[in-house]
Amino acid sequence: MKKEKEIIVIGHKSPDSDSICSAVAYAQLKRQMDGGNYVARRAGDINKETAFVLDYFGVEEPDYQPDVRTRVSDIEFEVVPSVDRNMSIREAYLTMKEHNSTTLCITNEDNLISGVITMTDIAGANLDVLDNQLVSKAKTPFRNIVKTLNARVLCGDIDKVFDEGRVTIGANTPEKMVDYISKGDLVVLGDRFESQFFAVEIGASCIVLGTDGEPNPTILELARARECIVLSSPYDSYTVSRLINQSMPVEHFMLSKNILSFELDDFAKDVKDVMSKERHRYFPVTDHQGHYLGLISKRNMLAMEKKRVILVDHNEKNQAVDGVQGADILEIIDHHRLGGMESINPLLFRNHPLGCTATIVYQIAKENGLELSRQTAGLLCSAILSDTLMFRSPT
């Protein structure tokens, strides 16, 4: 899921007016400077003085950011559509190919996850060729069979389900077919009138004619009387017999218990640890209500980017927002003593022995030729007045 990367501008955990106002003002200036998606956040509760300043200048209170560790919501996961439990495994396979995925989620009408099916499950279904009752055991909708065989419906109710009987090919004479065709079977046939008549007469639930076969009107009349579905497929008998297994619904093969999924708020490090112990490549992602959103893979985790932050009015780890050690710190703008903050990558660290961080933010604006709005100027002025104790502080 493609997301516009935001850069968080944030002060310390016990925010005062300087911390909040400098974060809001610097985020605004940075947007003017390079058009990036800079957003001001707060790491703690706002005091009454700061609330008054924000209200006075008509500025919304920054959202609370308790942690800057990367979460699932920060990762570009795969938007693979969910499927219905009655979808055929052939359609499921084609959907996987279309979205370059080896996993699909099955959801109910409320978009809650009912099951998961993988390419391995589909391969296993195709390899199980010795059980000629497998299609009926899977309670396969006749509509799936029609679609999979690209068949024409010549008569019968295809809203029914094939839930008893075997799949067999009527390649012999009626005398020999009596030994292996029973009531309820689905029979693949050629153009022999006698074989077609026998299959319908014995009570087959469905007959499938290959190579666009057209039955005698007598067969259709008998089929209607016996409520037998008659289909005509463009494929030959060999292809028809192979494709029928692919019409089975995914519900019969899906994993429906102990499904491992992740929520948007889950921390990426925790997700990565869990993934490392599982053999699967893809895992469902849900929102807080359990609604399916997409799939996340180990490949997504490898391409994961850390949250990007700019720290203002502090440079000590114990004052910083939780998880800062796992974030990508781009800049630090501060007027305090050095506090031993560490970073993996080089960063812009601007520190001046002044009474307020807002003064440094104003200097940056002037250096870049930026005009301050009334709101921004008011916030910076308020921060200076507050942090210098009305210009009476030692700094």
Side-chain angles (χ1 to χ4, degrees):
M1 180 179 287
K2 190 67 175 175
K3 297 180 181 295
E4 183 182 3
K5 298 298 182 183
E6 66 179 17
I7 300 172
I8 298 168
V9 184
I10 192 167
H12 47 78
K13 284 183 178 179
S14 302
D16 53 12
S17 293
D18 189 21
S19 174
I20 296 294
C21 294
S22 292
V24 173
Y26 197 53
Q28 173 63 33
L29 295 179
K30 291 293 287 187
R31 289 194 293 270
Q32 290 179 244
M33 290 164 66
D34 61 29
N37 184 23
Y38 297 89
V39 292
R41 297 280 167 79
R42 58 185 174 87
D45 295 331
I46 288 180
N47 61 37
K48 290 183 179 180
E49 177 193 270
T50 307
F52 171 81
V53 171
L54 294 175
D55 180 67
Y56 185 86
F57 289 104
V59 178
E60 288 189 13
E61 181 178 300
D63 290 337
Y64 177 51
Q65 184 83 36
D67 199 297
V68 289
R69 284 180 288 176
T70 305
R71 299 175 186 265
V72 171
S73 57
D74 301 311
I75 301 170
E76 293 178 9
F77 54 84
E78 315 290 336
V79 184
V80 179
S82 63
V83 301
D84 181 78
R85 62 177 60 239
N86 287 318
M87 174 183 271
S88 70
I89 58 174
R90 177 170 177 78
E91 283 188 89
Y93 167 72
L94 295 175
T95 303
M96 288 181 188
K97 282 188 64 178
E98 179 184 353
H99 294 277
N100 193 30
S101 173
T102 60
T103 303
L104 287 179
C105 281
I106 295 88
T107 56
N108 62 17
E109 60 276 6
D110 296 320
N111 198 32
L112 301 176
I113 298 174
S114 302
V116 172
I117 189 166
T118 67
M119 192 71 79
T120 303
D121 299 325
I122 292 176
N126 283 321
L127 289 173
D128 194 357
V129 296
L130 297 178
D131 186 355
N132 59 8
Q133 289 186 296
L134 186 60
V135 180
S136 64
K137 288 177 181 176
K139 300 186 185 305
T140 303
F142 279 107
R143 284 195 175 276
N144 281 20
I145 296 173
V146 171
K147 190 168 185 179
T148 303
L149 299 181
N150 194 23
R152 291 180 293 127
V153 182
L154 303 183
C155 78
D157 180 11
I158 62 169
D159 287 328
K160 296 192 296 185
V161 173
F162 181 45
D163 56 5
E164 62 175 313
R166 300 166 296 179
V167 175
T168 185
I169 298 179
N172 286 313
T173 61
E175 292 77 15
K176 292 185 177 181
M177 287 169 61
V178 72
D179 295 328
Y180 63 89
I181 294 181
S182 305
K183 183 178 179 180
D185 287 352
L186 185 153
V187 188
V188 181
L189 295 163
D191 58 1
R192 285 185 180 178
F193 174 86
E194 297 83 0
S195 299
Q196 296 172 8
F197 186 90
F198 174 80
V200 176
E201 181 71 20
I202 204 170
S205 60
C206 177
I207 63 172
V208 182
L209 311 181
T211 59
D212 282 323
E214 291 287 345
N216 186 291
T218 304
I219 299 296
L220 289 177
E221 184 178 347
L222 180 63
R224 291 189 185 98
R226 297 297 177 89
E227 297 185 350
C228 175
I229 298 171
V230 180
L231 307 178
S232 177
S233 171
Y235 307 123
D236 57 58
S237 297
Y238 170 76
T239 305
V240 167
S241 62
R242 290 197 63 190
L243 285 175
I244 280 180
N245 268 27
Q246 297 181 24
S247 66
M248 292 182 288
V250 294
E251 179 180 20
H252 187 69
F253 302 95
M254 70 184 188
L255 172 69
S256 58
K257 295 180 180 179
N258 302 319
I259 298 171
L260 181 59
S261 63
F262 302 109
E263 290 189 3
L264 290 175
D265 277 347
D266 288 342
F267 290 116
K269 184 181 183 303
D270 298 336
V271 171
K272 201 170 184 179
D273 291 342
V274 172
M275 281 186 173
S276 66
K277 301 170 186 175
E278 298 291 329
R279 63 179 180 84
H280 303 296
R281 287 176 55 193
Y282 291 90
F283 302 84
V285 175
T286 66
D287 63 15
H288 311 309
Q289 289 77 41
H291 299 125
Y292 171 75
L293 299 174
L295 295 171
I296 192 168
S297 68
K298 296 177 181 178
R299 183 176 66 237
N300 296 137
M301 301 304 294
L302 291 174
M304 173 185 71
E305 295 183 12
K306 298 177 181 178
K307 274 192 170 73
R308 297 185 291 173
V309 299
I310 294 175
L311 305 180
V312 298
D313 199 36
H314 70 295
N315 72 94
E316 295 188 47
K317 187 165 63 176
N318 62 351
Q319 295 181 348
V321 61
D322 289 345
V324 71
Q325 62 273 18
D328 187 6
I329 303 173
L330 304 181
E331 301 180 32
I332 298 177
I333 310 296
D334 191 23
H335 69 116
H336 295 102
R337 68 176 187 177
L338 298 183
M341 182 74 75
E342 297 178 354
S343 69
I344 297 175
N345 300 315
L347 56 84
L348 172 65
F349 190 171
R350 185 152 178 169
N351 184 283
H352 294 293
L354 299 170
C356 183
T357 300
T359 303
I360 306 174
V361 174
Y362 174 70
Q363 289 176 343
I364 294 172
K366 301 308 290 182
E367 290 167 3
N368 287 273
L370 300 177
E371 287 292 330
L372 300 183
S373 67
R374 176 182 178 276
Q375 282 183 331
T376 303
L379 292 179
L380 293 176
C381 184
S382 300
I384 292 170
L385 290 172
S386 172
D387 230 34
T388 62
L389 305 177
M390 298 286 286
F391 301 112
R392 292 195 298 269
S393 72
T395 55

